[in-house]
């Protein structure tokens, strides 16, 4: 849900791009970002409908949460807020008891197993004061009476690009590599009140597992690394095709696999097979030769030329 | 007379060269005059854009049939594919392909001329044998070879399909090659033409019947009865002995069928088809092989997967048929061509070239993706029979019909697709009208030919009676 779709804003000098840093290294509005509610669709009513799943019939699946009793949900909210409220669209507010109500409904309908709420606004910790449902973990960027501040200004775009709490959260994740099994505890401990200029407060009374044992990947998903292949279409329609296409493995690896497979077959079986069918052996040999042949096109072109010559010669002679 | 005969070939060459220049001028226009986007000219089977796409896919190590764009032969891809990519600076794109099609048209015209000359000779010979001509100067025999070649070169349909970059000229060349080989008794050439024509588009396979009849029995001739009648009349004139009467009763002999040539022809067909199949398997080795090729070329033609509008009658019907009945109606539509083959072969077996023309006309009316290139072929083959079809009825009506349909077709298409003021019925009505005119054309030409034979028989018997009376 993005109330102000900054990537598509006419005043954005970098259209379709949203950066979290002045250095413009990461485009957060990348190819695998899907915004389901934008602009005027971001209302408190829609937000609560998404959480509770009480949609009208015509709402498409992309706009529904579609979670079940095994889901882990990350709910991240940022913007302007205050004592027990969060501002929506400059016109309405989400109050803490609304949020608690929605979460209670979700728990009743078994729409989540674990829910993590992360709020980055002024006086953020007050937003989850009223929560009572078990299985909920909440962290806010500032306590009651404290403001949350932005981190730095991007003079190129002309606005501040990231808030402090979010900046340090992202910085924590940027430091991790694929093999680190970081826990939520290390995430929550990483917030320094001096750097944040506010106190990041979290409540774990509703959350049963120990934070040390919970990996961050329970709630924070990773961006998939895509491997591009050449074939955009389905390879071919016949199911019994035995040639390999769109594999990134080099050819020598493939042949190694074949050799391994052959080695597994006991030797005497191979010999008896060879003795049985010389015809199939010849076909297999031919096929191997054809697969090794790289310049098939020139062979085909030459054959076509030969065909025409034979036609002309035979038609003039016979 | 000799001078006339000399100037006639000169005139022919002048007209032929003028048409070649005309095509070259038209090719040099930018964008092929937007003809390659017309559905009447380029069908999913013959479009050069699809061939270029198939070639690009092949170069990108994908199967050329991926994405259901290209549905033609892999050999055509190897020959024409590189030409679609070559670009000469300052010239319109696909110029080399257009030149190939112009050359194909020229070759087809020359071969048609050869066929026509043979047919003309046969016509004159038969007429003299039947006693109608004392010498070749009595009755003016029209030079059907020249006429057919000029009709082919100057037919707007051929020009449009040549300039509009469809592969119809090459398909037409293969068919004409097969007919030429059969007429001049060059068996390997006929076999090659038949195999290539069937390979490129499925429907010329029906030409196997007239070609076998051509090779077995010989060229077009009036029915055998006429010759036997003439001989019997002459025999009666000469003697009235019982021996001759017995000989007359045994004269219901049939023309010998040259089995040796036909077996030779079948052997060559087998050879060429094996060669072509091996080449296709070789070029499609990594992309699914022959099975894939048959599924995507012949399977596409027979199962009519593409329902974009064309001047045929299939697309409209198959857009609304229920899936449950789709296979049934596919069989019905294709059997529509098949069930006409045998009766026509029985009735017209003494005229195999004409039979070939009728088969081609029927398959271009009832094939799954017709285009004007197919019409160009059978219209020029029709011109080969001007000597026999002089008394064809409704010729002016048909000419106006063809003209009207070909002018209205782009208009209806524009109204439907671009302006939105018409709908599919406008365009399909046009297609139905075109099919009706074509059917009337085929029926009238067959009846004109049969009437010609009947007139020959009548005048033969009259001739015999008058000779008897004179005795």
């Amino acid at each position: 849900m993005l109330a102000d779709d900054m990537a598509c804003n006419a005043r954005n000098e970098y259209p379709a791009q949203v950066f979290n840093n002045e250095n413009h290294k990461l485009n957060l509005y990348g190819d695998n970002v899907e915004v389901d509610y934008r602009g005027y669709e971001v209302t408190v009513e829609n937000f609560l409908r998404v959480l509770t799943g009480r949609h009208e019939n015509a709402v498409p699946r992309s706009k529904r949460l579609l979670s079940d009793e095994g889901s882990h949900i990350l709910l991240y909210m940022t913007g302007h807020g205050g004592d027990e409220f969060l501002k929506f669209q400059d016109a309405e507010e989400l109050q803490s008891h609304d949020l608690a109500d929605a979460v209670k409904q979700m728990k009743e309908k078994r729409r989540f197993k674990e829910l993590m709420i992360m709020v980055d606004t002024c006086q953020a910790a007050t937003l989850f004061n009223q929560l009572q449902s078990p299985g909920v973990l909440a962290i806010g960027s500032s306590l009651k009476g404290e403001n949350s501040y932005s981190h730095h200004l991007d003079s190129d775009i002309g606005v501040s690009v990231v808030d402090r709490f979010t900046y340090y959260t992202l910085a924590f994740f940027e430091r991790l590599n694929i093999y680190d099994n970081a826990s939520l505890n290390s995430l929550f401990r990483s917030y320094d009140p001096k750097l944040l200029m506010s106190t990041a407060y979290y409540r774990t009374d509703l959350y049963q597992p120990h934070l040390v044992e919970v990996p961050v990947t329970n709630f924070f998903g990773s961006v998939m690394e895509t491997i591009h292949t050449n074939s955009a279409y389905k390879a071919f329609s016949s199911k019994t095709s035995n040639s390999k296409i769109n594999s990134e493995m080099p050819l020598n690896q493939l042949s190694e696999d074949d050799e391994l497979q052959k080695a597994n077959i006991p030797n005497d079986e191979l010999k008896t097979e060879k003795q049985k069918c010389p015809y199939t052996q010849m076909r297999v040999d031919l096929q191997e030769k054809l697969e090794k042949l790289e310049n098939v096109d020139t062979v085909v072109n030459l054959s076509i030329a030969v065909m025409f010559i034979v036609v002309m010669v035979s038609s003039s002679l016979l | 007379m000799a001078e006339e005969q000399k100037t006639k070939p000169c005139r022919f060459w002048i007209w032929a060269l003028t048409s070649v220049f005309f095509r070259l001028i038209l090719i040099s226009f930018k964008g092929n005059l937007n003809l390659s986007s017309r559905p009447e000219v380029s069908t999913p089977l013959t479009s050069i854009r699809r061939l270029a796409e198939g070639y690009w896919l092949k170069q990108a190590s994908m199967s050329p049939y991926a994405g259901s764009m290209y549905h033609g032969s892999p050999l055509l891809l190897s020959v024409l594919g590189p030409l679609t990519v070559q670009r000469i600076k300052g010239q319109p794109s696909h110029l080399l392909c257009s030149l190939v099609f112009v050359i194909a048209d020229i070759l087809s015209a020359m071969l048609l001329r050869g066929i026509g000359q043979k047919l003309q000779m046969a016509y004159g010979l038969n007429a003299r044998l039947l006693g109608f001509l004392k010498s070749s100067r009595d009755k003016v025999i029209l030079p059907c070879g020249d006429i057919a070649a000029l009709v082919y070169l100057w037919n707007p349909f051929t020009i449009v399909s040549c300039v509009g970059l469809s592969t119809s000229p090459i398909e037409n060349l293969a068919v004409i090659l097969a007919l030429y080989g059969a007429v001049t008794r060059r068996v390997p050439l006929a076999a090659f033409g038949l195999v290539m024509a069937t390979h490129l588009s499925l429907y010329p396979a029906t030409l196997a019947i007239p070609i076998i009849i051509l090779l077995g029995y010989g060229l077009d001739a009036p029915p055998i009865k006429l010759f036997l009648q003439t001989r019997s009349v002459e025999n009666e004139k000469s003697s009235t002995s019982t021996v001759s009467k017995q000989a007359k009763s045994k004269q219901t002999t049939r023309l010998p069928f040259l089995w040796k040539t036909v077996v030779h022809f079948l052997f060559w067909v087998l050879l060429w088809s094996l060669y072509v199949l091996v080449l296709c398997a070789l070029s499609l080795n990594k992309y699914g092989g022959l099975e894939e090729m048959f599924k995507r070329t012949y399977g596409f033609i027979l199962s009519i997967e593409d329902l974009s509008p064309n001047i045929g009658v299939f697309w409209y019907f198959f857009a609304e048929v229920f899936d449950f009945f789709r296979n049934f109606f596919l069989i019905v539509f294709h059997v529509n061509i098949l069930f006409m083959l045998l009766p026509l072969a029985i009735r017209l077996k003494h005229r195999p070239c004409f039979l070939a023309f009728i088969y081609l006309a029927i398959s271009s009316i009832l094939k799954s993706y017709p285009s004007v290139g197919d019409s160009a072929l059978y219209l020029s083959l029709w011109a080969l029979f001007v000597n026999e079809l002089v008394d064809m009825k409704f010729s002016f009506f048909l000419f106006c019909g063809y003209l009207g349909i070909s002018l209205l077709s782009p208009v209806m298409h524009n109204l439907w697709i671009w302006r939105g003021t018409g709908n599919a019925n406008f365009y399909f009505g046009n297609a139905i009208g075109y099919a009706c005119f074509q059917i009337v054309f085929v029926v009238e030409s067959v009846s004109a030919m049969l009437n010609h034979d009947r007139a020959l028989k009548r005048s033969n018997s009259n001739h015999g009676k008058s000779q008897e009376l004179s005795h």
Side-chain angles (χ1 to χ4, degrees), chain A residues 128-145:
Chain A
F128 43 81
N129 268 348
Q130 314 272 352
L131 284 175
Q132 284 166 359
S133 319
V136 179
L137 182 62
I139 177 165
S141 60
S142 47
L143 289 168
K144 176 166 171 164

Side-chain angles (χ1 to χ4, degrees), chain A residues 103-117:
Chain A
V103 172
K104 195 168 176 189
Q105 283 186 51
M106 283 172 86
K107 194 66 194 174
E108 278 296 316
K109 302 285 289 248
R110 293 195 216 152
R111 284 170 68 76
F112 67 91
K113 188 167 157 220
E114 293 175 13
L115 171 67
M116 173 159 165
I117 304 179

Side-chain angles (χ1 to χ4, degrees), chain B residues 248-441:
Chain B
K248 189 187 85 175
S249 62
K250 280 182 191 165
Q251 268 168 11
T252 49
T253 49
R254 299 163 111 212
L255 208 62
F257 188 74
L258 299 166
W259 280 106
K260 201 170 148 193
T261 325
V262 170
V263 166
H264 195 203
F265 169 72
L266 289 172
F267 161 73
W268 273 103
V269 162
L270 208 66
L271 193 70
W272 285 124
S273 41
L274 272 175
Y275 192 81
V276 163
L277 286 176
V278 160
L279 275 189
C280 291
L282 199 65
S283 64
L284 288 177
N285 193 31
K286 294 194 198 100
Y287 310 121
L290 279 180
E291 197 189 312
E292 178 78 6
M293 182 187 94
F294 282 129
K295 190 163 178 176
R296 297 291 191 151
T297 54
Y298 292 168
F300 178 76
I301 293 175
L302 290 174
S303 66
I304 311 172
E305 292 164 5
D306 187 305
L307 293 175
S308 47
N310 49 50
I311 48 166
V313 294
F314 279 54
W315 56 275
Y316 191 85
F317 184 79
F318 279 97
E320 53 188 20
V321 74
F322 290 113
D323 275 338
F324 186 72
F325 298 106
R326 190 164 208 271
N327 285 338
F328 169 69
F329 280 111
L330 277 175
I331 296 176
V332 164
F333 272 68
H334 285 296
V335 162
N336 210 1
I337 304 179
L338 288 176
F339 85 91
M340 281 197 250
L341 297 182
L342 192 61
L344 280 169
I346 294 173
R347 190 66 182 86
L348 289 171
K349 66 176 184 302
H350 57 284
R351 293 192 180 274
C353 268
F354 190 70
L355 188 67
F357 153 63
I358 294 293
Y359 280 176
L360 283 171
I362 290 175
S363 47
S364 53
I365 304 170
L366 296 169
K367 72 196 294 200
S368 34
Y369 302 100
S371 69
V372 289
D374 308 317
S375 314
L377 179 64
Y378 76 74
L379 282 173
S380 53
L381 284 180
W382 172 81
L384 281 174
F385 303 102
V386 276
N387 286 315
E388 291 99 342
L389 294 177
V390 181
D391 294 322
M392 187 165 142
K393 291 183 283 183
F394 307 137
S395 47
F396 183 66
F397 168 69
L398 287 170
F399 172 71
C400 293
Y402 270 82
L403 190 64
I405 293 284
S406 32
L407 288 175
L408 275 179
S409 174
V411 171
M412 296 301 175
H413 191 252
N414 191 351
L415 277 182
W416 173 28
I417 304 259
W418 295 106
R419 291 174 194 270
T421 52
N423 54 34
N425 297 323
F426 286 46
Y427 192 67
F428 185 61
N430 207 41
I432 283 189
Y434 185 58
C436 284
F437 280 115
Q438 285 180 307
I439 290 171
V440 170
F441 177 77

Side-chain angles (χ1 to χ4, degrees), chain A residues 230-241 243 245 287 290-291 293-294 296-297 299-304 306-308 310-312 314-316 318, chain B residues 53 57-63 66-67 74-75 78-79 177 185-186 188-189 192 196 264 268 272 275-276 279 282-283 285-288 291-292 295-296:
Chain A
N230 272 335
S231 81
Y233 305 110
K234 195 170 62 161
F236 19 81
S237 46
S238 58
K239 287 178 192 167
T240 57
S241 59
S243 64
I245 230 181
Q287 210 154 11
L290 284 174
E291 276 174 20
L293 205 66
E294 281 183 4
V296 184
D297 283 331
V299 170
V300 171
N301 289 342
L302 276 174
S303 320
I304 294 175
V306 162
M307 184 166 70
F308 283 129
V310 169
V311 166
M312 285 196 281
S314 60
S315 58
S316 53
L318 292 168
Chain B
E53 168 94 12
L57 284 170
K58 189 130 182 252
Q59 296 301 98
S61 314
M62 280 190 267
S63 162
L75 301 181
S78 321
V79 171
L177 205 64
R185 307 199 74 82
R186 291 194 170 99
L189 193 65
F192 174 71
M196 282 316 288
H264 195 203
W268 273 103
W272 285 124
Y275 192 81
V276 163
L279 275 189
L282 199 65
S283 64
N285 193 31
K286 294 194 198 100
Y287 310 121
E291 197 189 312
E292 178 78 6
K295 190 163 178 176
R296 297 291 191 151

Side-chain angles (χ1 to χ4, degrees), chain B residues 217-236:
Chain B
Y217 282 128
L219 284 174
D220 286 20
I224 314 298
K225 290 184 212 168
L226 295 181
F227 292 102
L228 294 176
Q229 256 183 356
T230 325
R231 220 191 312 169
S232 68
V233 161
E234 284 176 7
N235 276 348
E236 272 185 23

Side-chain angles (χ1 to χ4, degrees), chain B residues 75-88:
Chain B
L75 301 181
L76 204 63
L77 204 61
S78 321
V79 171
L80 283 180
L83 292 177
T84 57
V85 183
Q86 301 261 7
R87 293 226 189 294
I88 308 176

Side-chain angles (χ1 to χ4, degrees), chain B residues 31-42 47 49 164 413 418:
Chain B
N32 307 115
L33 297 168
N34 285 329
L35 280 172
S36 48
S37 56
R38 295 233 60 88
E40 296 93 355
V41 175
S42 66
S47 167
R49 285 191 193 158
H413 191 252
W418 295 106

